[in-house]
């Protein structure tokens, strides 16, 4: 079967090493594998023994296992949430280079946090907004900085979001766009959902909303239209790092 995606969980250090030794080329063009290990700490080891009845040894072997799997092309998740975030992205978005990231937001603080999470310890790049995109954004208010992240501010309208999304997607400077939306703001609604869905059919896009009950109403509508969504900045970082791992060029 082509384009396989596997999620593997194990306790024993020996099991991980044995699988890794047989897994040269796991991250090839057809097979993508994510590994998640339980029992990385002393407390986790004791819990693993009570769960499996087997002796789980050498908490220090985790660093060796990570290096071995990465050498074989597999992705090593540090926790359950990271593994699921990675699977969600890899099973939704197309297989192509995802290194150059554009960010659009109407909440500047989340944009700054996203830059930290996305770039820290990764090869992901936040390209500056190219001149043609800046020109396409000439209709935006003068107080909106023409930068990446592009902060439309809390007064952003659905029309301004559409303008920004199309400008970034059509600029040729980005491989994927992350769109933070505060659906709690009065100017946000169903037209933005239609814009996000339409663009995501042709260009890799992720939508993030960290809000409460209002987000609970809008995010399912996006998912039904095929838009990849997350609720946390950390989820976005996990997704982008996994995408970059398997599509580095």
């Amino acid at each position: 079967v082509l384009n396989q995606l596997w999620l593997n969980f194990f306790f024993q250090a020996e099991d991980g090493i044995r699988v890794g030794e047989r897994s040269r080329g796991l991250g090839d063009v057809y097979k993508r594998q994510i590994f998640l290990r339980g029992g990385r700490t002393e407390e986790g080891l004791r819990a693993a023994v009570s769960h499996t009845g087997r002796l789980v040894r050498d908490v220090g072997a985790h660093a060796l296992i990570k290096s071995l799997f990465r050498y074989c092309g597999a992705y090593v998740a540090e926790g359950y949430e990271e593994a699921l975030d990675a699977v969600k992205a890899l099973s939704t978005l197309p297989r192509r280079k995802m290194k150059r990231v554009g960010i659009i937001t109407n909440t500047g603080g989340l944009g700054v946090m996203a830059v930290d999470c996305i770039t820290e310890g990764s090869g992901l790049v936040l390209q500056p907004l190219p001149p043609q995109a800046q020109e396409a954004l000439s209709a935006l208010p003068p107080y909106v900085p023409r930068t990446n992240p592009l902060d439309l501010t809390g007064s952003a309208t659905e029309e301004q979001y559409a303008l920004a999304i199309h400008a970034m997607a059509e600029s040729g400077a980005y491989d994927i766009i992350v769109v933070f939306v505060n659906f709690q703001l009065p100017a946000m609604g169903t037209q933005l959902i239609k814009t996000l869905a339409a663009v995501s059919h042709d260009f890799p896009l992720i939508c993030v909303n960290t809000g409460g009950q209002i987000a609970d109403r809008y995010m399912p509508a996006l998912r039904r239209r095929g838009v990849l969504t997350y609720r946390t900045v950390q989820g976005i970082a996990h997704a982008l790092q996994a995408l970059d791992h398997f599509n580095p060029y």
Side-chain angles (χ1 to χ4, degrees):
V1 178
L2 301 185
N3 202 22
Q4 297 179 47
L5 176 60
W6 292 38
L7 175 59
N8 309 274
F9 181 77
F10 66 95
F11 292 122
Q12 284 280 102
E14 292 87 343
D15 291 343
I17 293 172
R18 186 163 52 250
V19 171
E21 288 173 341
R22 296 198 305 265
S23 300
R24 184 76 60 85
L26 276 177
D28 66 20
V29 70
Y30 299 129
K31 293 182 293 185
R32 294 174 294 173
Q33 299 228 20
I34 299 171
F35 283 87
L36 175 62
R37 182 193 176 197
R40 292 179 291 132
T41 65
E42 293 293 346
E43 292 78 6
L45 290 177
R46 286 194 288 271
V49 170
S50 65
H51 173 63
T52 64
R54 297 178 61 190
L55 177 61
V56 185
R57 299 185 298 276
D58 194 2
V59 65
H62 184 62
L64 171 62
I65 293 169
K66 283 178 61 177
S67 297
L68 177 60
F69 281 146
R70 285 174 177 166
Y71 172 72
C72 295
Y75 183 82
V76 182
E78 290 298 326
Y80 184 68
E81 290 79 10
E82 180 180 353
L84 294 186
D85 289 337
V87 167
K88 186 176 173 181
L90 292 167
S91 61
T92 303
L93 293 178
R95 298 200 65 173
R96 52 182 279 187
K97 183 178 75 169
M98 298 281 184
K99 190 171 291 292
R100 302 173 301 166
V101 183
I103 298 176
I104 301 172
T105 179
N106 61 354
T107 54
L110 282 177
V112 174
M113 292 174 60
V115 172
D116 286 338
C117 286
I118 289 170
T119 59
E120 188 174 14
S122 76
L124 298 166
V125 178
L126 267 76
Q127 295 277 80
L129 205 62
Q132 64 268 34
Q134 295 184 38
E135 185 177 348
L137 296 171
S138 59
L140 290 178
Y143 54 78
V144 174
R146 274 58 169 180
T147 58
N148 181 25
L150 178 59
D151 181 10
L152 299 175
T153 77
S155 62
T157 65
E158 292 180 306
E159 292 75 19
Q160 290 171 351
Y161 258 104
L163 182 65
I165 292 168
H166 283 288
M168 273 197 173
E170 295 165 10
S171 70
Y174 305 101
D175 303 313
I176 187 168
I177 298 173
V178 177
V179 183
F180 286 86
V181 184
N182 237 340
F183 280 109
Q184 292 89 329
L185 298 177
M188 299 296 102
T190 56
Q191 187 56 46
L192 180 55
I193 290 176
K194 294 177 182 177
T195 297
L196 291 165
V199 173
S200 69
H201 290 159
D202 301 312
F203 190 89
L205 181 148
I206 303 175
C207 183
V208 192
N209 187 287
T210 58
Q213 292 181 349
I214 295 179
D216 291 338
R217 186 166 71 244
Y218 283 107
M219 297 301 264
L222 284 166
R223 289 192 291 270
R224 286 195 298 270
R225 289 165 171 81
V227 179
L228 179 61
T229 64
Y230 287 89
R231 296 295 296 269
T232 67
V233 174
Q234 291 78 10
I236 284 291
H238 297 155
L240 291 172
Q241 288 162 11
L243 289 165
D244 181 55
H245 177 85
F246 288 109
N247 308 283
Y249 305 112

